[in-house]
Amino acid sequence: MFRLWKWYQNSLAVHPIKTQVISSGLIWGFGDIAAQTITHSTAKAQRQIQAQGEDEDEELKINWRRVCTTSLFGFGFVGPVGHLWYEGLDRYIRSRLLLQPKSFRFVASKVAIDGFLFGPLDLLVFFTYMGFSAGKSVPQIKEDVKRDFLPAFVLEGGIWPIVQVVNFRFIPVRPC
């Protein structure tokens, strides 16, 4: 595992954007597979409770088109835009806020700024992209955003900061 981590760190140092693009695409793809699995398990458990013991052995069928679409979002938006965002955010926190990288205040500032600025933008772009990818119209996408944005933002705010603390503390931003 240590060798894999060293290889990843070296890849970030040598090819920062390419590494971020590939990492983001893979993470978003695996994340979508996990989301589909959790959704299936939750729905299956709910149906079994409602059916009270009826045998519902519905098999999980991964929607690979959706996985590819979600991965493309990671490859095309989160990877390159995220890299440039985090590079600029690092520079801003170091030069304007005069905080040292990896310090508690640096990481906390980065998590807060990221959560309140990039988080909402990322969600908005994601919902819009997924809507257009599914063939939805602009009014349908607006309805989806109205319905799903706030719950997603709240859920993201409860989970993502923990991940970002580790990310910002241990994975350095490599300038292009």
Side-chain angles (χ1 to χ4, degrees):
M1 187 62 135
F2 182 71
R3 290 175 69 207
L4 182 62
W5 180 251
K6 282 294 189 190
W7 174 82
Y8 180 73
Q9 292 289 346
N10 184 57
S11 295
L12 278 174
V14 177
H15 305 287
I17 292 181
K18 184 165 56 170
T19 302
Q20 289 294 330
V21 165
I22 292 169
S23 298
S24 294
L26 293 173
I27 289 167
W28 276 81
F30 284 122
D32 188 59
I33 292 169
Q36 289 184 47
T37 303
I38 291 167
T39 301
H40 173 77
S41 298
T42 304
K44 186 176 175 181
Q46 186 64 31
R47 281 191 305 274
Q48 285 177 344
I49 290 169
Q50 290 173 349
Q52 294 181 342
E54 287 182 25
D55 187 27
E56 288 205 26
D57 211 16
E58 187 178 317
E59 189 176 316
L60 169 65
K61 291 182 179 87
I62 298 294
N63 179 343
W64 291 106
R65 183 181 188 284
R66 189 179 109 174
V67 171
C68 290
T69 302
T70 305
S71 292
L72 284 173
F73 180 74
F75 285 126
F77 178 75
V78 178
V81 173
H83 176 81
L84 297 172
W85 161 253
Y86 293 123
E87 184 180 21
L89 186 57
D90 263 27
R91 200 174 318 113
Y92 173 79
I93 293 173
R94 275 194 303 246
S95 66
R96 301 288 182 155
L97 301 181
L98 303 174
L99 299 174
Q100 291 299 311
K102 298 187 180 188
S103 71
F104 174 80
R105 290 182 66 205
F106 180 89
V107 172
S109 298
K110 195 169 176 182
V111 168
I113 295 169
D114 180 58
F116 287 108
L117 292 181
F118 190 70
L121 173 67
D122 180 51
L123 278 176
L124 184 61
V125 172
F126 176 72
F127 285 136
T128 304
Y129 165 77
M130 291 302 285
F132 281 128
S133 296
K136 293 183 178 182
S137 67
V138 172
Q140 289 172 311
I141 293 169
K142 284 181 181 179
E143 279 304 309
D144 288 352
V145 169
K146 282 182 193 176
R147 181 190 65 236
D148 297 336
F149 181 84
L150 189 58
F153 185 62
V154 169
L155 182 62
E156 179 181 89
I159 296 170
W160 204 240
I162 297 163
V163 174
Q164 291 295 57
V165 164
V166 174
N167 183 24
F168 296 154
R169 176 68 177 86
F170 297 106
I171 300 177
V173 171
R174 307 286 188 185
C176 300

